[in-house]
Structures are given as C-alpha cells and as structure tokens.
Amino acid sequence: MTRSSLISLLALTLTTTAAAQDAQTVRLGFFPNLTHAPALVGLQRGTFQKALGKVKLDAKEFVSGTTLTEAFAAGQIDIAYVGPGPAINAAGRGMPLQIVAGASEAGAVLVARKDSGIRSYKDLAGKVVAVPSLGNTQDISLRHILNENSLKSKTDGGNVTITPIAPADVLAAFAGKRVDATLVPEPWGAALEAQGHRVIGTEKTVWREGRYPTTIVIVNAKFAAANPQLVTAFLKAHADTVAFINRSPAAAQAAVNAQLQKLTGTSLDLRVLQRAFARTRFTTALDLAALKEYAALNVEAGYARSAPDLTPFLRK
C-alpha cells in the first residue's frame, strides 16, 4: 500500500457511514525498538492521543511478537505494531485481525560477539544465537539464514542453539558471554557495534536485500468493525508520524531516545541512533509479495504447516 493509496483509503473510510463508536479506550501494543519508531514518536509527541480526541489511548509495551499476539488473541489489545512473522502466525491460527499499514522495513542485523570467533554465517555452527523470541520475525529470518548455509538449529537436529532474549537485554547477554551472536532489531544492533562487536549480517544481507517489512500495523477486526472512525483516526496519526520521521530525522531520533529512556531506562548515544536510523526505512506501504515470502519462510522454519492466504486479512 503506497502512502497515496493509504490516504485514499482513509478518505473513503471517512465518508463511510460508521457503526456506533463503542470504545472509550484504544489499547495499543508496541515494542521499545527503533523498528517501532512510529509508535515511539507518536507516543512521545502525543500525536495518537490528539487524533483520538476524548477517547483514551492506553499504550502497552511488549518484549516480543509472541507475547503481543497472545494479548491480541485474549482481546487485550485493539491495535498493534508487530513484526510480520507473529502477524502471519496469528492469521494462520484464525485470529480476527486486519493488516492495515506498514511501519518499517529492514532495520535488523546479525551481530557476533567480538571474541566469539564468528566471521561469517557458517561460523554460527556450534554457537548460541539470540533472537527476541521464538517464532518472531528475526527468529524466522535466522532459521532461513541457517538453512541457506547448510546449518540447523539444535531443535531441528543441528548444532546452532537459538535462544530468546529481549533486545534491550542482549547487551548484558553479550557482556556476560551468555550468547555468541544475535539477530536483533535496531537500535540494539548499532549499540552492540558501538561496543566493538562485529556485524556479520547487515540489514541488506539478512534477507531480500533489505526490501522486507520489519514492522506492520494490525487491528482487531471486531474492534475495527465497531469503531471504524477510531481506526481511521489512528491510521491518519500513524501516517502523519511516519511523514514526520522521514521529514525531520533529528527530531525523530530525539523523540525515540526520550521514549526509550522512559521505557527501558536507557538512552542511546546520538551516533548509535543515527547509524540505526540509516539501516531502517519508515513507510506506511505494505509489500504483499514480501509478506507472502515471509509466510513461506514461516513454513520453512516449522512454525506452520502451510502459508495462509493473506489477501482476506488486508483491510479493504
């Protein structure tokens, strides 16, 4: 979905006779990662709350797509920023969701601990590699990288140990030598690199030359049916925030850092954030072809028996 088509969709929805607006609160899920910068910046600048008017915004951070989709399935989240892997898994399980916009592309790197001896993907044999959670977008990407390099995880009969660690905790895991490498979303990859650790897979070599969605926006289908104007208002705020990030990257970086400080107690060096921004693209566009390929990788990773038809999950 291009920005122009998203705006057209918003205009069309605004002219549609809306169902009764039932919700008094919009519950938003997101992660404290740069790849979720539209959420971080929108929260920091108050853009979402302003767009929702008197309806309260209740934003909640999650550490992984797995825990977020569990909350989504339990009816605890209305709108979410999430990676395509968990979203596709949720769609395959029949969760009532709509995929309504893109948020970011690329923005994840494979970093090896500087004293691990890892110089290439093949050196991951016998090592411990962290991902944000099992079944999430980076986990699925990592298993594809292993497959392309004739490697397997231990759970698949190989010798690579894949372990879940929250991205904000991976710096401590490297310092304690609990892991040898990680496929991690930004800005945590850039933060590791600033400590002297080695990037062995850039955002462009991880998959599809960097032309893949890392974060998308999903909405509970039942919530969207009952509250179409709230969803429209949120999507307009999302599009405005993405435009602001691309128009004013320095101000956006400051907003991201302020939110990270609130959420994780950690603010990052400006040079780290600039490097992380350079590896991430922010867009409202949805690349359906890339999502379909992700669904196939999900099957390859063993998280689904078949790839779901994603077309019915895209908001018309």
Side-chain angles (χ1 to χ4, degrees):
M1 183 185 294
T2 63
R3 175 176 170 78
S4 60
S5 60
L6 176 64
I7 297 300
S8 298
L9 170 64
L10 297 175
L12 176 62
T13 307
L14 281 170
T15 59
T16 302
T17 301
Q21 301 292 296
D22 295 332
Q24 299 302 310
T25 302
V26 173
R27 300 166 300 176
L28 174 69
F30 68 100
F31 308 165
N33 298 334
L34 178 63
T35 47
H36 290 232
L40 301 177
V41 174
L43 290 172
Q44 181 65 23
R45 301 183 74 231
T47 310
F48 300 140
Q49 185 58 78
K50 183 178 180 180
L52 296 176
K54 295 181 179 179
V55 176
K56 180 183 177 183
L57 176 69
D58 181 12
K60 182 179 180 181
E61 65 172 302
F62 290 82
V63 298
S64 74
T66 305
T67 55
L68 188 150
T69 53
E70 288 173 353
F72 198 89
Q76 299 169 352
I77 298 296
D78 304 310
I79 303 174
Y81 288 84
V82 68
I88 290 169
N89 275 325
R93 295 199 298 272
M95 284 190 198
L97 66 85
Q98 291 180 345
I99 300 172
V100 292
S104 69
E105 295 181 344
V109 292
L110 208 165
V111 185
R113 207 182 67 236
K114 53 189 173 185
D115 56 353
S116 66
I118 299 172
R119 297 289 187 276
S120 68
Y121 290 153
K122 290 188 178 297
D123 293 333
L124 294 175
K127 302 296 186 180
V128 178
V129 187
V131 294
S133 69
L134 299 181
N136 91 318
T137 302
Q138 282 74 46
D139 179 31
I140 293 169
S141 296
L142 174 62
R143 291 173 192 271
H144 180 61
I145 289 171
L146 296 181
N147 186 53
E148 287 195 320
N149 288 275
S150 302
L151 297 172
K152 292 181 180 179
S153 70
K154 278 193 173 180
T155 55
D156 295 326
N159 63 355
V160 180
T161 300
I162 300 177
T163 186
I165 295 179
D169 295 334
V170 77
L171 283 81
F174 266 49
K177 299 187 178 183
R178 289 186 282 120
V179 297
D180 301 300
T182 181
L183 180 50
V184 67
E186 296 290 7
W188 312 113
L192 288 169
E193 190 177 15
Q195 293 182 348
H197 301 297
R198 181 178 293 106
V199 173
I200 63 168
T202 71
E203 78 284 2
K204 293 182 180 178
T205 60
V206 164
W207 187 52
R208 228 170 174 262
E209 298 180 345
R211 292 176 288 102
Y212 58 89
T214 305
T215 304
I216 59 178
V217 182
I218 62 173
V219 177
N220 183 296
K222 294 180 181 178
F223 177 86
N227 303 278
Q229 291 181 345
L230 287 180
V231 174
T232 297
F234 181 87
L235 285 176
K236 184 177 186 310
H238 168 65
D240 289 346
T241 302
V242 170
F244 172 80
I245 292 171
N246 290 324
R247 184 176 65 248
S248 306
Q253 290 161 17
V256 167
N257 226 2
Q259 273 294 307
L260 289 178
Q261 177 67 45
K262 291 178 184 177
L263 297 169
T264 69
T266 302
S267 61
L268 297 173
D269 184 277
L270 180 58
R271 289 168 295 183
V272 170
L273 267 182
Q274 290 171 339
R275 180 174 292 174
F277 257 71
R279 292 171 174 161
T280 312
R281 288 187 299 279
F282 300 101
T283 176
T284 60
L286 281 171
D287 186 337
L288 182 58
L291 289 175
K292 288 181 176 177
E293 287 188 42
Y294 243 127
L297 295 188
N298 198 36
V299 175
E300 177 187 276
Y303 288 115
R305 293 183 178 179
S306 61
D309 178 8
L310 295 177
T311 305
F313 295 96
L314 300 176
R315 193 183 189 201
K316 305 297 190 298

